[in-house]
Amino acid sequence: MRSLSRALRSILVSSLASAACAADEGVDTSGLAPIACAPADEPLVGVTSAVPADYVEVRSQGDGSSQVRSSSRGTRCATAVDRATCEADYAAVAIADGDGSLFGQVVQVREREIVIVTDASGLKVLRTKDAVKSWLSPVDTPEDAVVAATLAGYTTRCGDAERGGVGESGEGYRVLATRLTKICAPVETTAYLLAVDRAGDVRVLESSVTSREEGLCIGRRPEGLVRYRSDARSVVGRWLAEVAYLEAASVASFDRVANELDAFGAPARLSERARRARRDEVRHAKAMGRLAELHGASVARLVPTAFDERDLEAFARENAVEGCVFETFGALVGLAQAERAGDPEIRRVLTAIARDEIRHGELAWDIDAWAMSVLDASAVARVRAARSEAARALVEDHVDTLDPVSARRLGVPTGPRRRALAERFVGELEALERAARAA
């Protein structure tokens, strides 16, 4: 795909302004107690169900990984009328390709999870959120309410009153939880005060942004990347240091992409381009690190990440999300910065990086076209759904955290301009896919 540069410049030129977003306020956490921590090997402690369970197991597997993890409580099949059949049914249980994540928020790496329950009637395998919710109902303990919140896609933390709390209310419970609400310029976490009723239905009472990390879009982050927030006094230096850290993280990502392309039997030209992209990211990290130092900031050392093996579908999904969406949109943001940055040296460096990032975006779409030609129809549909979900996240309401002077020096699109870029980009995704497939 060699037309991405023209497409992104067209988006940049044609983007229009839209309404700015309101400022944040805190949420009312009065009356909430910290969520109690349970041993890691005892899931769903305190959770009750209409039919008492003698055994509860959460079994999980990273998408594309061969490693299966499980944790349980109770004695399996202890009260089953036909214990032999219950044990045989348990031995036959396996995580299936169609299983998805059940608990908490999924952003980039999909976890396949199931819940296995045994009671007097035998064995039940709960493979969907609705199935777990039905088993859980009625919600009549704080632990039930916390699980209901995670089934709704929120993340809770135990022992941390700022990120997790629960308290009874007249109609059920109130739960304090969080979600990652922005994955691009900046990375943003929002706290939610939720109402959970006896049926396990969840609605938002209040919300407030609790943290923001400046930098470009989350692009090809390797799994297990430890987030870094610079403590530099200079706003510009802090932004540059955090971006330099993300650029260094991309080196490991392209290493993995190149090796996996070879393993999957992809055309050699794709892995060669991935290795060239890796070399680009090494230069980018050094260049941004030098700029950060010029503005009084140092860059954290990146901790190497170990990766599990994964299948082609998992590889294609990550490429679709992080390459076709986040990295390509990052190239668009980079183009905007290259044109608008008020600091001449920053503009010079960003101009060179933007050219490389466009090539990386082209590579992502070319990998996507190859992978889609190899995967079966159901896998293609799942990859496209993941890409669409990631694209929707780009147009979440945006809250600017850079002061106007720093934003101008860095050329960072803010307010209506940034939102317009995201909306226009998302609107062109299908056209970008068609162009990649035709190339």
Side-chain angles (χ1 to χ4, degrees), residues 247-395:
E247 296 283 6
S250 294
V251 174
S253 292
F254 278 114
D255 255 340
R256 187 186 195 190
V257 167
N259 292 335
E260 287 180 318
L261 284 169
D262 287 338
F264 292 134
R269 66 180 184 278
L270 294 178
S271 57
E272 290 168 2
R273 289 166 62 189
R275 291 186 172 91
R276 177 183 176 185
R278 179 199 182 279
R279 295 192 293 271
D280 292 339
E281 297 296 0
V282 171
R283 292 199 315 275
H284 298 174
K286 291 179 179 178
M288 296 303 285
R290 285 193 294 268
L291 283 177
E293 291 173 356
L294 288 175
H295 289 82
S298 58
V299 181
R301 185 177 182 83
L302 188 69
V303 178
T305 303
F307 301 121
D308 290 334
E309 290 186 8
R310 56 184 174 179
D311 61 18
L312 179 58
E313 181 182 342
F315 168 82
R317 181 183 296 108
E318 182 188 62
N319 179 72
V321 170
E322 302 207 17
C324 298
V325 177
F326 301 147
E327 191 167 38
T328 307
F329 185 70
L332 176 60
V333 173
L335 277 176
Q337 290 184 262
E339 292 186 2
R340 295 167 58 89
D343 184 300
E345 182 61 15
I346 292 176
R347 188 169 62 247
R348 182 188 66 79
V349 172
L350 291 178
T351 298
I353 289 177
R355 286 196 296 267
D356 291 340
E357 295 297 346
I358 290 171
R359 285 193 290 100
H360 300 175
E362 290 172 341
L363 171 61
W365 283 102
D366 288 344
I367 291 173
D368 183 80
W370 168 78
M372 294 300 203
S373 72
V374 176
L375 292 169
D376 61 38
S378 60
V380 167
R382 289 190 292 269
V383 171
R384 284 178 175 158
R387 186 171 62 210
S388 296
E389 183 177 351
R392 284 193 294 271
L394 289 179
V395 293

Side-chain angles (χ1 to χ4, degrees), residues 65-89:
S65 171
S66 59
Q67 181 182 6
V68 177
R69 301 173 298 280
S70 65
S71 50
S72 62
R73 65 176 173 89
T75 302
R76 190 172 64 240
C77 301
T79 63
V81 173
D82 186 343
R83 188 164 186 175
T85 299
C86 179
E87 290 285 5
D89 290 343

